[in-house]
Amino acid sequence: MRMRRLKWAADFIANSEVNVHEPETYKGTWRKLLNKEHIHVEIGTGKGDYWIGMSKLYPELGWIGIEKQESVAALALRKKETFDEHARFIYGDAANIDAWFAPKEIDVIHLNFSDPWPKNRNKKRRLSNERFLDKYHQILSDDGQIIMKTDNRKLFEYSIIEFQNFGFVLEEIFLDFRSEEHDEDVISEYERKFMEEGPIYRAVWKKGGK
Ligand SMILES: C[S@@+](CC[C@H](N)C(=O)[O-])C[C@H]1O[C@@H](n2cnc3c(N)ncnc32)[C@H](O)[C@@H]1O
């Protein structure tokens, strides 16, 4: 997602009580901070519709949104009008995720419409590249899951192989997720844009051996 830099973004993030300013200091204590038994993390929230919507739909769970672009993060934080103990945000690059979360601290990781980085030379930037999977594997609980949605068939195909090679076990797959009602799942900004144009792919993986 490319967007014009917002001048107010840095101050807005600095003053936000929803944003967790030094996430590494909470490593190992997120369940306590959010006062929840199970923690879900969305990586690459964009403007926040999914993170905010899911935290409203499932208030019994902890919800942490992560976004690395300053202006986009500020828009997501501004959209989150209320402070809820169970919904927090990290403005930062998920490449550092293993510095923020302790081993087995997270129950579910959500990846929605992640940047596809189509050129092979950029594949390390994909959020489903083995570089990230290694970190996800560490922070996920023993029966932890990863849930991915995308409109990008090539990214979906790549991810299936990458997860498989890493020992994640495919539990559920949809090749046209929005052809049926799915009230249990919130539509993200990108999803709203792309669901009229073609199928939405969705898969759920369970952490495997490795
Ligand atoms: C294509 S947008 C999708 C936004 C939203 N998930 C949706 O479905 O509408 C991908 C977002 O992921 C963010 N992102 C990409 N790599 C990231 C990383 N390593 N850490 C945190 N955010 C990242 C980008 O800045 C961008 O806002």
Side-chain angles (χ1 to χ4, degrees):
M1 179 185 296
R2 278 167 191 259
M3 62 171 291
R4 159 178 81 81
R5 192 173 165 270
L6 301 172
K7 283 191 191 138
W8 51 269
D11 283 348
F12 195 89
I13 294 172
N15 293 319
S16 167
E17 56 177 342
V18 179
N19 187 60
V20 178
H21 298 281
E22 288 176 353
E24 60 285 354
T25 59
Y26 294 96
K27 190 172 182 172
T29 64
W30 290 93
R31 290 191 185 108
K32 202 168 149 206
L33 180 74
L34 276 64
N35 198 16
K36 297 292 170 199
E37 191 72 21
H38 297 289
I39 309 280
H40 287 230
V41 169
E42 186 194 4
I43 304 178
T45 60
K47 296 177 191 162
D49 281 1
Y50 185 81
W51 162 63
I52 295 169
M54 291 295 272
S55 72
K56 279 190 192 152
L57 199 56
Y58 301 99
E60 69 279 16
L61 302 170
W63 289 92
I64 301 170
I66 300 174
E67 172 55 56
K68 73 170 180 184
Q69 279 189 71
E70 186 180 70
S71 298
V72 182
L75 287 170
L77 285 165
R78 191 173 68 172
K79 217 181 243 183
K80 177 93 186 71
E81 288 161 342
T82 54
F83 175 82
D84 302 304
E85 197 181 39
H86 75 287
R88 303 298 178 93
F89 199 84
I90 298 174
Y91 160 50
D93 189 330
N96 300 315
I97 203 162
D98 53 334
W100 304 331
F101 301 112
K104 304 190 182 185
E105 194 167 22
I106 300 304
D107 295 285
V108 182
I109 293 173
H110 300 255
L111 301 173
N112 290 307
F113 298 80
S114 305
D115 299 312
W117 293 106
K119 293 201 172 112
N120 199 44
R121 68 167 186 269
N122 288 324
K123 68 178 181 193
K124 281 193 175 163
R125 295 173 188 242
R126 295 176 195 152
L127 290 176
S128 48
N129 177 263
E130 61 175 342
R131 188 169 71 103
F132 283 97
L133 297 195
D134 189 28
K135 295 171 194 252
Y136 303 160
H137 198 273
Q138 286 175 45
I139 65 171
L140 278 172
S141 57
D142 287 339
D143 51 2
Q145 291 175 314
I146 301 181
I147 305 179
M148 177 183 210
K149 280 190 288 182
T150 182
D151 64 307
N152 190 305
R153 201 180 99 184
K154 284 213 170 316
L155 178 69
F156 196 59
E157 289 169 355
Y158 167 85
S159 305
I160 286 173
I161 303 290
E162 204 73 354
F163 282 91
Q164 164 83 17
N165 288 346
F166 215 89
F168 283 91
V169 178
L170 187 61
E171 281 195 320
E172 237 181 68
I173 188 160
F174 291 88
L175 298 179
D176 195 356
F177 186 56
R178 292 296 173 194
S179 61
E180 307 156 13
E181 289 269 310
H182 281 289
D183 296 341
E184 78 286 6
D185 185 78
V186 169
I187 298 171
S188 75
E189 296 97 49
Y190 266 65
E191 190 165 7
R192 192 165 298 289
K193 210 155 79 180
F194 289 121
M195 58 194 267
E196 304 302 330
E197 292 173 20
I200 301 300
Y201 307 100
R202 182 179 188 269
V204 180
W205 291 267
K206 198 174 156 215
K207 181 171 164 175
K210 187 80 187 171

